[in-house]
Amino acid sequence: MPTTDDNRTEDGATGAGALDARKAAILNAVVTEYIGSAQPVGSQHVVDAPGVSVSSATVRSDMAALERDGYLAQPHTSAGRIPTDKGYRFFVDHLGRPGSLDPVGRQQVRQFFDHAHGEIESMLERTSGLLADLTDCTAMVVGPSHESAAIRSVQLVGLGQRLALLVVVLADGAVQKQSVELPDEVDEIRLADAASRLAAHSLGLPITQVGPLVVPTGDPKTDTVVAIAVDALRSLGSAEAVDQLFVGGSSRMAAAFDAVDTVRSVLGILEQQLVVVTLLRDILDTGLSVAIGTEHGVEPLASCAIVVMPVSVDGVEAGTIGLLGPTRMNYPLALAAARVVGDRLGQRLSEPSR
Amino acid sequence: MPTTDDNRTEDGATGAGALDARKAAILNAVVTEYIGSAQPVGSQHVVDAPGVSVSSATVRSDMAALERDGYLAQPHTSAGRIPTDKGYRFFVDHLGRPGSLDPVGRQQVRQFFDHAHGEIESMLERTSGLLADLTDCTAMVVGPSHESAAIRSVQLVGLGQRLALLVVVLADGAVQKQSVELPDEVDEIRLADAASRLAAHSLGLPITQVGPLVVPTGDPKTDTVVAIAVDALRSLGSAEAVDQLFVGGSSRMAAAFDAVDTVRSVLGILEQQLVVVTLLRDILDTGLSVAIGTEHGVEPLASCAIVVMPVSVDGVEAGTIGLLGPTRMNYPLALAAARVVGDRLGQRLSEPSR
DNA sequence: GGTTGGCACTCCACTCTAGTGAGTGCTGAC
DNA sequence: GTCAGCACTCACTAGAGTGGAGTGCCAACC
């Protein structure tokens, strides 16, 4: 750029994205204070920050440079500086010490997992509440995908004249069901017979890999039932097998913004399970753990940041944790909370005894 | 009250809660316009309303009387009138024609239920979205209670070394599960054996009425498994058997209020499943179908109104629909939508084929 | 007696005008 | 490169003035 006089301190110096030590300190101070106060930060507020032992005039000149380089912005002339998305990005990547939960929070987490009980779904639900409490953000928890879990049990339960329920238990403890309509009244014996044939065909396979069944057994009535049940089973695996999403603390979004419109559109996004799950997956796939502002493509969330953390059980990825807040969210805290809770959750899910 | 000169038009005249025909028309006009505009309504805006063929001066005098009687309020002197909770109440009870969905909405409902598919949970979830779309309110749908549904099937599926899953299928198609920890490794045969003893003990009973099992069969190992499983089964019935709640369109609350605080506290309530379910139940139990302002006891919802509608399947109550909006919500529309959707949902759930 | 037009009054919402203060950019000296 | 000093900018606030929507009251009317 021609406006930048002689880029004496910028990128080229010590490597890509590097910043003068003092400029980094100033940026750090601005971001930190802005996260706390949500007010534009002036040069005077920064002089006492560690690593910045210069006068406010010098700070001002550095801030001007930081603004030229896109790390800071001014809401208007003669106002303090606000971090840009790029500024937050630098903060997250190079500044902001690892961060850890405060003792109170750690205590909360410990207590939560010590007393955690119930089935996985309700635990994930409550986990989202815990995360929201810890971080004051909206928390999203995506449950483990059952795509690769093997079928442990298949059962057909008669419910009425011509209605039966297909109940499938997977190795990871998930239960899926699908009601099936039968062409004729079918007695329990035949139903059990069909179920055992179904089991022989599908037991041990992941639900997505159950193939169509062709070989008939002679009894046409049983064959029909089996055929219908196989179809139902396969439809379970193929269709909208969207991972389950739990959103906690969505009310915190209302506190984060004072523009009601923003709140509305953000909440609107949160209502769309598919969008949220895809979004979290996309962010993870790009290898990020934080997406700031417009870095993810979802336009209504432009003033938000998202922290994601995979949850792994015995080494394999089994879910995702997401934290949604304004771009001026407390990144170190959010990252620490996501990490701690993610780890503990992974441990918990891998314990045989729950 | 001494201020009321001679209560010539009030309650006493034609029965409890009755209002002069013209006053009723005026109240009607004020409520209707305020619902639309959210602005205080002046006397001039009312003179053209049907049933009010008098001058604005007369309207003013009537409005003053309505205010004395608590139906209207003024934000400040020299401002128009706003309905009070009592005013809304009168509107809902005596004014506001039955109301019906517009053709577009009716079409939407028809289409929705024609294409409705999938299991009950996902259908209820999507129903909440439909209701929110129709009414621009936040919709709450409480699924049928499984308290009285008889157990159709009980199964124990081994999951790991010492872990099994208890899977219970109820007559209404609901599936509940509970993982159980076993003291020892137990083979499939013994597990099946235990399950069949469990079935003999509980089949046909509602889950809440399964009693403790005492009679031993001689084989101590199987006995232990059965005992553990019975406990698990009973805990399923007793504990937090909270009806499932689906909330749709919570983002609409953000549009309804311009005070972010209100939005926040209302959303906070919506996050508490138990509170919401209890609230809806309480309102139904008092025989109301609309609760306005402080009529229900939940303080953070003081500026909200709730429309409730039971959903009955084959005559028995099987769920609840709730609509939450600001007190100035469109009551006729909300009531109509809740009724129509409730009816169709009830029908849908009673059809054997889904 | 209820209804009405007229009138004085109220008070919000808006505009305009300083005045204030936090903050900036620039400059010349060290 | 750093810094003190200085002029400048501009949001924010308070106060005054104004317009308008709306009211309450009253005397007159049917």
Side-chain angles (χ1 to χ4, degrees), chain A residues 23 31 47 49 51 70 74 76-77 92 129 151 159 164 169 176 182 201 206 232 291 304 306 332 343 351:
Chain A
K23 286 209 186 70
V31 173
V47 291
Q74 270 182 306
H76 55 85
T77 22
V92 169
I151 295 177
L159 285 184
V169 180
Q176 308 214 345
L182 305 172
H201 176 60
C304 295
I306 304 168
D343 283 355
E351 287 167 20

Short mmCIF file of all heavy atoms in Angstrom, two decimals, chain A residues 23 31 47 49 51 70 74 76-77 92 129 151 159 164 169 176 182 201 206 232 291 304 306 332 343 351:
data_model
loop_
_atom_site.label_atom_id
_atom_site.label_comp_id
_atom_site.label_asym_id
_atom_site.label_seq_id
_atom_site.Cartn_x
_atom_site.Cartn_y
_atom_site.Cartn_z
N LYS A 23 3.90 -3.14 20.07
CA LYS A 23 2.58 -3.08 19.40
C LYS A 23 1.73 -4.26 19.82
O LYS A 23 0.53 -4.13 20.06
CB LYS A 23 2.76 -3.08 17.88
CG LYS A 23 3.27 -1.78 17.32
CD LYS A 23 2.78 -1.56 15.90
CE LYS A 23 3.41 -0.33 15.27
NZ LYS A 23 4.85 -0.53 14.99
N VAL A 31 -7.44 -5.19 23.38
CA VAL A 31 -8.42 -6.28 23.30
C VAL A 31 -8.91 -6.64 24.69
O VAL A 31 -10.11 -6.75 24.94
CB VAL A 31 -7.80 -7.51 22.61
CG1 VAL A 31 -8.74 -8.69 22.68
CG2 VAL A 31 -7.48 -7.19 21.16
N VAL A 47 -1.28 2.87 28.70
CA VAL A 47 0.11 3.13 29.09
C VAL A 47 0.56 2.31 30.28
O VAL A 47 1.74 2.01 30.41
CB VAL A 47 0.32 4.63 29.41
CG1 VAL A 47 0.22 5.46 28.14
CG2 VAL A 47 -0.68 5.11 30.44
N ALA A 49 -0.32 -0.73 30.94
CA ALA A 49 -0.34 -2.17 30.68
C ALA A 49 1.09 -2.71 30.64
O ALA A 49 2.02 -1.99 30.27
CB ALA A 49 -1.04 -2.45 29.35
N GLY A 51 4.45 -4.25 29.45
CA GLY A 51 5.06 -4.26 28.12
C GLY A 51 4.91 -2.95 27.38
O GLY A 51 5.43 -2.79 26.29
N GLY A 70 -4.84 -2.68 10.09
CA GLY A 70 -6.10 -3.40 10.14
C GLY A 70 -6.38 -4.15 11.44
O GLY A 70 -7.31 -4.94 11.50
N GLN A 74 -11.50 2.69 14.57
CA GLN A 74 -12.11 3.76 15.37
C GLN A 74 -13.57 3.87 14.99
O GLN A 74 -13.88 3.97 13.79
CB GLN A 74 -11.44 5.09 15.06
CG GLN A 74 -10.26 5.43 15.93
CD GLN A 74 -9.71 6.78 15.59
OE1 GLN A 74 -9.41 7.04 14.43
NE2 GLN A 74 -9.58 7.64 16.58
N HIS A 76 -15.26 6.41 15.36
CA HIS A 76 -15.28 7.75 14.76
C HIS A 76 -13.99 8.44 15.20
O HIS A 76 -13.35 8.01 16.16
CB HIS A 76 -16.49 8.55 15.23
CG HIS A 76 -16.59 8.64 16.72
ND1 HIS A 76 -15.92 9.58 17.47
CD2 HIS A 76 -17.26 7.86 17.60
CE1 HIS A 76 -16.20 9.40 18.73
NE2 HIS A 76 -17.00 8.36 18.86
N THR A 77 -13.63 9.47 14.48
CA THR A 77 -12.44 10.20 14.90
C THR A 77 -12.64 10.68 16.32
O THR A 77 -13.75 10.89 16.75
CB THR A 77 -12.21 11.45 14.01
OG1 THR A 77 -13.43 11.82 13.42
CG2 THR A 77 -11.13 11.19 12.99
N VAL A 92 -6.02 -14.01 19.59
CA VAL A 92 -6.26 -15.42 19.86
C VAL A 92 -5.05 -16.26 19.47
O VAL A 92 -4.66 -17.18 20.19
CB VAL A 92 -7.51 -15.90 19.09
CG1 VAL A 92 -7.63 -17.41 19.13
CG2 VAL A 92 -8.75 -15.25 19.64
N GLY A 129 -25.72 -26.44 29.49
CA GLY A 129 -26.04 -25.46 30.52
C GLY A 129 -24.81 -25.09 31.34
O GLY A 129 -24.57 -23.91 31.63
N ILE A 151 -24.77 -52.23 15.11
CA ILE A 151 -26.09 -52.58 15.64
C ILE A 151 -25.93 -53.73 16.63
O ILE A 151 -25.32 -54.76 16.31
CB ILE A 151 -27.03 -52.99 14.49
CG1 ILE A 151 -27.27 -51.78 13.58
CG2 ILE A 151 -28.34 -53.51 15.04
CD1 ILE A 151 -28.12 -52.09 12.38
N LEU A 159 -47.57 -52.77 18.13
CA LEU A 159 -48.19 -51.68 18.89
C LEU A 159 -49.70 -51.64 18.72
O LEU A 159 -50.42 -51.16 19.57
CB LEU A 159 -47.62 -50.32 18.43
CG LEU A 159 -46.22 -49.97 18.88
CD1 LEU A 159 -45.88 -48.58 18.43
CD2 LEU A 159 -46.11 -50.10 20.40
N ALA A 164 -46.26 -51.58 14.02
CA ALA A 164 -45.20 -52.13 14.84
C ALA A 164 -44.09 -51.09 14.98
O ALA A 164 -44.03 -50.13 14.21
CB ALA A 164 -44.65 -53.41 14.24
N VAL A 169 -30.86 -50.96 18.84
CA VAL A 169 -29.89 -50.53 19.85
C VAL A 169 -28.50 -50.62 19.24
O VAL A 169 -28.14 -51.63 18.65
CB VAL A 169 -29.97 -51.43 21.10
CG1 VAL A 169 -28.95 -50.97 22.14
CG2 VAL A 169 -31.37 -51.42 21.68
N GLN A 176 -32.53 -46.17 18.50
CA GLN A 176 -33.29 -45.50 17.46
C GLN A 176 -34.55 -46.29 17.21
O GLN A 176 -34.59 -47.51 17.39
CB GLN A 176 -32.44 -45.40 16.19
CG GLN A 176 -31.09 -44.79 16.45
CD GLN A 176 -30.61 -43.95 15.28
OE1 GLN A 176 -31.11 -44.03 14.18
NE2 GLN A 176 -29.60 -43.13 15.56
N LEU A 182 -47.80 -52.27 8.80
CA LEU A 182 -47.82 -53.61 8.22
C LEU A 182 -49.04 -53.76 7.33
O LEU A 182 -50.08 -53.13 7.57
CB LEU A 182 -47.85 -54.65 9.34
CG LEU A 182 -46.70 -54.52 10.34
CD1 LEU A 182 -46.90 -55.45 11.52
CD2 LEU A 182 -45.37 -54.79 9.67
N HIS A 201 -29.45 -60.38 9.57
CA HIS A 201 -29.00 -59.62 8.41
C HIS A 201 -28.19 -58.39 8.79
O HIS A 201 -27.34 -57.93 8.03
CB HIS A 201 -30.23 -59.20 7.60
CG HIS A 201 -29.91 -58.32 6.43
ND1 HIS A 201 -29.09 -58.72 5.40
CD2 HIS A 201 -30.29 -57.06 6.15
CE1 HIS A 201 -28.99 -57.75 4.53
NE2 HIS A 201 -29.70 -56.72 4.96
N PRO A 206 -22.75 -51.25 11.07
CA PRO A 206 -23.26 -49.90 11.33
C PRO A 206 -24.55 -49.74 10.57
O PRO A 206 -24.75 -50.34 9.51
CB PRO A 206 -22.18 -48.98 10.75
CG PRO A 206 -21.00 -49.84 10.54
CD PRO A 206 -21.49 -51.23 10.34
N ALA A 232 -37.37 -49.86 6.61
CA ALA A 232 -37.44 -48.91 7.72
C ALA A 232 -36.06 -48.72 8.33
O ALA A 232 -35.62 -47.60 8.60
CB ALA A 232 -38.43 -49.40 8.77
N ALA A 291 -13.57 -19.15 15.36
CA ALA A 291 -13.94 -18.44 14.14
C ALA A 291 -14.49 -17.09 14.56
O ALA A 291 -15.40 -17.00 15.38
CB ALA A 291 -14.98 -19.22 13.36
N CYS A 304 -20.41 -12.11 15.79
CA CYS A 304 -20.20 -13.14 16.80
C CYS A 304 -18.88 -13.86 16.57
O CYS A 304 -18.31 -13.80 15.48
CB CYS A 304 -21.31 -14.19 16.73
SG CYS A 304 -22.92 -13.55 17.17
N ILE A 306 -17.08 -17.79 17.47
CA ILE A 306 -17.42 -19.15 17.84
C ILE A 306 -16.17 -19.90 18.23
O ILE A 306 -15.18 -19.88 17.50
CB ILE A 306 -18.10 -19.88 16.67
CG1 ILE A 306 -19.32 -19.11 16.21
CG2 ILE A 306 -18.49 -21.29 17.08
CD1 ILE A 306 -19.88 -19.60 14.91
N PRO A 332 -9.82 -16.31 26.14
CA PRO A 332 -9.06 -17.25 26.98
C PRO A 332 -9.98 -18.09 27.86
O PRO A 332 -9.84 -19.31 27.95
CB PRO A 332 -8.18 -16.32 27.83
CG PRO A 332 -8.04 -15.09 27.02
CD PRO A 332 -9.33 -14.94 26.31
N ASP A 343 -12.66 -32.24 27.64
CA ASP A 343 -11.87 -33.36 28.13
C ASP A 343 -12.67 -34.21 29.11
O ASP A 343 -12.76 -35.43 28.97
CB ASP A 343 -10.60 -32.84 28.83
CG ASP A 343 -9.56 -32.39 27.82
OD1 ASP A 343 -9.80 -32.58 26.61
OD2 ASP A 343 -8.52 -31.87 28.24
N GLU A 351 -16.00 -43.86 30.05
CA GLU A 351 -16.12 -44.76 31.20
C GLU A 351 -17.22 -45.76 30.93
O GLU A 351 -18.30 -45.39 30.49
CB GLU A 351 -16.50 -43.97 32.46
CG GLU A 351 -15.36 -43.14 33.01
CD GLU A 351 -15.87 -42.15 34.05
OE1 GLU A 351 -16.96 -42.38 34.58
OE2 GLU A 351 -15.16 -41.16 34.31
#
